[in-house]
């Protein structure tokens, strides 16, 4: 094959290039580029428009469409992340690090949807049926009406599904699937794409919901879930810190519900337990108010969630002080430090800065800016914020505080958890903020002056 030149594909993001390099230009990952043999490339001999196609029926945009019928399970946290239950014919990707608990979550989910009346098939390409059965036994799901299969051959799996006609199929994992019509190793970008394409087509064709499990891989030896993100309707990531018992299922894309929705679980010996009140959980380890600790009233998806921002500021002999962040964006921290220095005259040169979101939570809202600034100042001044106070607000480069969405919901959640005061930007729609003393401020310098008496 003279024309079928080599193609190089990034196993993290699926970007293709014509030459190898150590680092992917598209996603910046190192050592993820692999050679894939491509089918004879080059332009097709005839353009598609030249031959006769079938005409496709078109409908008005205004055409009323009934909302998709959903099935709710007994796992409310899972239903919430799916946008209020499982939609028939949807393709769902569940990504996460190996060992984070994906198989456990999906086995529990499969049992819950089976109990809700769906026909459920669970195909494991990684474990033998006996192993899955043992896991089910341990989770107390020994009698769940879930059909198990241990197989990696996609042709056989699809044939089985075509006769079984399930309502829900779990494929654990997409990287172990093998399509025999594709000349590439299991786990390669080409195989993972082909398998995901076959399975999502099956979902649309038969109206079955298909869940694909995808391991996140750092080494780039097998293709990561990002390679198939664009093919599916819903992308969920299962996250958590290894040392913590909390696990968060986060919707990063959902054609059938809000993105950014989270479901919170706690790992136990008997599987994942749902956490109905995450704020209480994230704040449970908080002791008496200490310098550097600030409670942020955040919103995750449709739900308010309070969490604790912890900062530590310490002198360093190093010329390049450390900036270490866990659970928040490092670039955003640099910005806050720059604004504190430029607009409030508070330098952090010669000081190491550590920032941590307690409980293994990851926060991405800009509304956390003010809470982070407060934690940094509190740590630097070695003085705790007034007790039982929550903080939220976005900081602009000018040092102004910008109001954020859902101020009222944040305040209500804070009050529910026993907080009595809040500091927020001026101009937020606080609505009925009874029971909580709200202090509104227009800029960061005012905040510094009022709370820390400096500026
Ligand atoms: P597993 O579901 O196999 O992870 P993944 O499929 O993402 O690789 O879980 C990993 C291990 O953690 C497994 O040995 C079971 C254990 N585990 C618990 O004991 N309790 C739990 O609640 C969870 C989620 C996992
Ligand atoms: Mg697994």
């Amino acid at each position: 094959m003279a024309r079928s030149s080599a193609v190089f594909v990034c196993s993290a993001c699926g970007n293709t290039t014509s030459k190898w390099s150590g680092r992917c230009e598209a996603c910046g990952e190192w050592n993820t580029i692999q050679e894939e043999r491509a089918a004879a490339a080059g332009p097709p001999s005839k353009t598609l428009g030249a031959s006769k196609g079938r005409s496709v029926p078109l409908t008005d945009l205004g055409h009323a469409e009934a909302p998709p019928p959903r099935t709710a399970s007994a796992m409310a946290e899972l239903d919430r992340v799916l946008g209020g239950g499982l939609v028939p014919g949807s393709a769902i990707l569940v990504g996460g690090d190996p060992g984070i608990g994906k198989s456990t979550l999906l086995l529990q989910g499969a049992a819950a949807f089976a109990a809700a009346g769906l026909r459920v098939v669970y195909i494991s390409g990684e474990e033998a049926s006996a192993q899955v059965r043992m896991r089910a036994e341990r989770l107390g799901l020994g009698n769940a009406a879930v059909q198990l299969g241990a197989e990696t051959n996609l042709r056989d799996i699809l044939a089985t599904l075509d006769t079984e006609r399930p309502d829900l199929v779990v494929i654990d994992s997409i990287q172990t699937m093998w399509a025999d019509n594709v000349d590439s190793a299991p786990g390669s970008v080409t195989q993972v794409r082909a398998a995901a394409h076959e399975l999502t087509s099956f979902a649309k064709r038969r109206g079955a919901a298909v869940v694909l499990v995808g391991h996140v891989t750092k080494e780039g030896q097998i293709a990561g879930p990002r390679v198939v993100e664009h093919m599916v309707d819903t992308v969920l990531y299962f996250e958590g810190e290894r040392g913590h018992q909390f696990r968060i299922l986060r919707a990063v894309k959902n054609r059938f519900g809000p993105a950014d929705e989270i479901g919170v679980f706690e790992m136990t010996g008997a599987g994942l337990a749902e956490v109905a009140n995450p704020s209480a959980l994230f704040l449970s380890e908080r002791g008496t108010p200490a310098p550097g600790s600030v409670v942020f009233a955040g919103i995750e998806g449709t739900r308010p969630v309070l969490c604790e921002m912890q900062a530590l500021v310490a002198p360093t002999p190093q010329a390049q002080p450390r900036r270490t962040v866990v659970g928040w964006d490092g670039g955003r921290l640099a910005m806050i430090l720059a604004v504190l220095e430029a607009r409030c005259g508070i330098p952090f040169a010669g000081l190491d800065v550590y920032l941590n979101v307690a409980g293994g939570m990851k926060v991405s809202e800009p509304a956390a800016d003010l809470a982070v600034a407060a934690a940094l100042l509190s740590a630097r001044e070695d003085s705790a914020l007034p007790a039982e106070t929550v903080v939220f607000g976005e900081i602009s480069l000018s040092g102004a505080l910008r109001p954020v969405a859902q101020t009222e919901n944040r305040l209500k959640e804070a009050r529910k958890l026993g907080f009595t005061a809040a500091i927020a930007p001026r101009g937020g729609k606080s609505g009925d903020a009874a029971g909580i003393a709200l202090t509104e401020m227009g800029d960061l310098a005012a905040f510094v002056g009022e709370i820390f008496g400096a500026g």
Side-chain angles (χ1 to χ4, degrees), residues 301-339:
T302 54
R303 176 166 58 173
V305 172
L306 303 193
C307 58
E308 184 190 353
M309 299 285 183
Q310 303 171 335
L312 178 67
V313 174
T316 177
Q318 239 102 103
Q320 269 285 354
R322 267 174 179 280
R323 304 286 183 250
T324 305
V325 194
V326 179
W328 206 54
D329 178 43
R332 199 98 197 159
L333 173 67
M335 189 196 102
I336 304 286
L337 291 172
V339 173

Side-chain angles (χ1 to χ4, degrees), residues 29 66 69 90 119 142 147 158 163 212 282 307 341 344 373 383 396 418:
E29 287 290 328
S90 61
R119 267 179 81 79
Q147 296 293 308
L158 288 170
T163 49
L212 309 175
F282 291 131
C307 58
E341 172 145 18
C344 311
S383 100
S396 72

